[in-house]
Amino acid sequence: MTPFSAASDIAHAQIVDLFAGPGGLDVAAHWLGIPVVGIEWDREACMTRRRAGLETCEGDVRTFSPADFPDATMLAGGPPCQTFTVAGTGAGRVALDAVLKLVEAMAQGDDVSSRIAEFDDERTGLVLEPLRWALQAHKAGASYEAIILEQVPAVLPVWEAMARVLRGIGYSVVTGVLRTEEFGVPQTRRRAILIARHNSSVVLPISTHRPYRKGANRESGASDRKPWNTMAGALEETRGYEFSVVSNYGSGGDPKARGRRNCNEPAFTVTGKISRNRVFDANGVEVERFTSAEAGRLQTFPLNFPWRGSDIAQQIGNAIPPRLGAHILAAAFGISDLLDEQFFVQVIDSGWSRAPEISDLVGVP
């Protein structure tokens, strides 16, 4: 499917996706007809990617450079968020000042590898990898036409610091925090975004759906925005009955403050522990918890996406929702107006049909 083949920027675009995970952004790129190769070091995620037929380079992003992907015109990256997220240990948030200083040092051309190695958690330094790639490509005279980055909201100051550096080498850059339910994802989740275009203007994607408010009527709100999408709508094929969900984690970090949402609301943020969320029918009887396919669908992967590996829930929780990814990619290319609800109904509900190469399936269960 190449719905945007008439758009010149899309027609020759190729993406290299750092920290590609199971393929959230890659699925979005496939929907838009953009070739993409993903770099991923987690073997389990690579098993899923290969089964899905996504071009995959298994390995550590730090051992590669732009020279290894000379045909890529676009750089994307969603570095590991565990050290920055509220649900994690917070090592990245503690090290935020050090990370910001390293951004400044990299802008001056300093080799900061030894300073990155000093972080207690090596994953903290990975957030700097996209900037390394962007600067190396620019130095080689092959600047990426577009760059998109996403992470948890705590990383927004890093994206803003990187934006200042990128503007100094010819990019127009926007940053901000997007709410996934405002882009049709049946789940509340906030992501810090950076979108950059070389020698071209760029804007953040404009929300298409109303924000979720606890206790609010989904039909109320701005008339130019659609109602938020619901768990019931997303899981109509698998859950043809009323249900509610009790979250595994507590609001505000309080484990006792476990929230509850009914099926006519968006899901809680899908994390690697979504399998622990309890599900109840309309009579209060506990029923089967979300399957991997259902958890993936709440992230807007097709229901039949071929998840593989031993820790599928973590793969799903770590992924960027493909629907949000599509909006971000479209914004980078200035084609947001082409993404309507019917487009997403077509690409999500029609299922995943990308056939893998036989050679990719060798040794994959």
Side-chain angles (χ1 to χ4, degrees), residues 73-357:
T73 62
M74 184 173 188
L75 178 70
C81 69
Q82 288 87 346
T83 65
F84 292 93
T85 183
V86 172
T89 63
R93 297 194 304 278
V94 172
L96 180 59
D97 288 343
V99 169
L100 295 177
K101 290 178 180 177
L102 289 178
V103 170
E104 295 177 4
M106 292 172 71
Q108 299 302 315
D110 295 350
D111 181 355
V112 299
S113 55
S114 61
R115 294 163 64 182
I116 290 176
E118 295 175 359
F119 287 120
D120 292 336
D121 191 321
E122 68 171 352
R123 294 174 298 181
T124 299
L126 292 175
V127 74
L128 296 166
E129 280 298 298
L131 182 60
R132 175 178 73 85
W133 281 63
L135 291 173
Q136 286 189 2
H138 174 72
K139 186 176 181 180
S143 295
Y144 292 106
E145 294 178 12
I147 299 171
I148 62 172
L149 306 175
E150 64 88 23
Q151 248 276 16
V152 294
V155 178
L156 185 61
V158 180
W159 289 168
E160 291 171 340
M162 287 186 181
R164 292 190 287 272
V165 177
L166 292 173
R167 291 186 184 109
I169 58 174
Y171 284 90
S172 173
V173 191
V174 290
T175 61
V177 175
L178 304 182
R179 297 171 54 148
T180 57
E181 83 275 14
E182 291 192 71
F183 295 89
V185 179
Q187 169 200 169
T188 54
R189 188 187 193 102
R190 298 170 67 241
R191 305 304 288 178
I193 303 298
L194 176 151
I195 307 177
R197 284 281 300 194
H198 195 251
N199 296 325
S200 181
S201 61
V202 66
V203 296
L204 286 172
I206 298 173
S207 62
T208 55
H209 292 65
R210 296 165 192 155
Y212 169 74
R213 296 283 186 271
K214 184 177 181 179
N217 185 329
R218 65 186 292 264
E219 299 296 335
S220 63
S223 59
D224 62 339
R225 298 290 183 269
K226 297 180 177 62
W228 66 69
N229 284 332
T230 68
M231 290 184 280
L235 304 181
E236 184 177 7
E237 291 183 42
T238 59
R239 304 258 173 176
Y241 54 86
E242 293 286 322
F243 65 89
S244 61
V245 180
V246 176
S247 173
N248 169 66
Y249 54 91
S251 300
D254 180 359
K256 296 181 180 178
R258 301 185 187 277
R260 178 187 289 264
R261 290 187 186 173
N262 68 52
C263 61
N264 293 314
E265 297 174 288
F268 294 101
T269 299
V270 174
T271 72
K273 295 180 172 59
I274 187 172
S275 58
R276 300 183 186 179
N277 290 358
R278 302 172 69 188
V279 184
F280 298 85
D281 66 17
N283 297 316
V285 176
E286 187 164 4
V287 295
E288 180 186 13
R289 300 183 183 189
F290 290 138
T291 64
S292 295
E294 290 176 321
R297 180 63 183 82
L298 294 175
Q299 281 273 60
T300 64
F301 285 89
L303 266 174
N304 67 340
F305 193 72
W307 301 102
R308 293 294 185 275
S310 60
D311 195 359
I312 292 173
Q314 194 64 52
Q315 292 181 47
I316 295 170
N318 288 346
I320 181 175
R323 181 163 179 156
L324 179 64
H327 277 286
I328 296 169
L329 286 170
F333 288 103
I335 56 170
S336 294
D337 59 321
L338 298 179
L339 299 188
D340 59 16
E341 194 70 18
Q342 183 56 41
F343 170 80
F344 288 110
V345 168
Q346 176 186 350
V347 297
I348 298 175
D349 290 352
S350 63
W352 186 250
S353 58
R354 182 166 183 167
E357 297 292 335

Side-chain angles (χ1 to χ4, degrees), residues 17-24 26 37-61 64 301 305-312 314-316 318-319 352 356-357 359-365:
D17 184 11
L18 314 183
F19 317 104
D26 305 52
V37 56
I39 305 175
E40 176 55 47
W41 69 3
D42 181 72
R43 180 176 179 273
E44 309 294 318
C46 287
M47 291 170 65
T48 293
R49 293 180 58 83
R50 293 191 177 104
R51 186 65 182 179
L54 299 173
E55 187 173 352
T56 301
C57 182
E58 185 171 350
D60 189 334
V61 166
F64 296 98
F301 285 89
F305 193 72
W307 301 102
R308 293 294 185 275
S310 60
D311 195 359
I312 292 173
Q314 194 64 52
Q315 292 181 47
I316 295 170
N318 288 346
W352 186 250
E357 297 292 335
S359 59
D360 288 337
L361 298 183
V362 175
V364 178

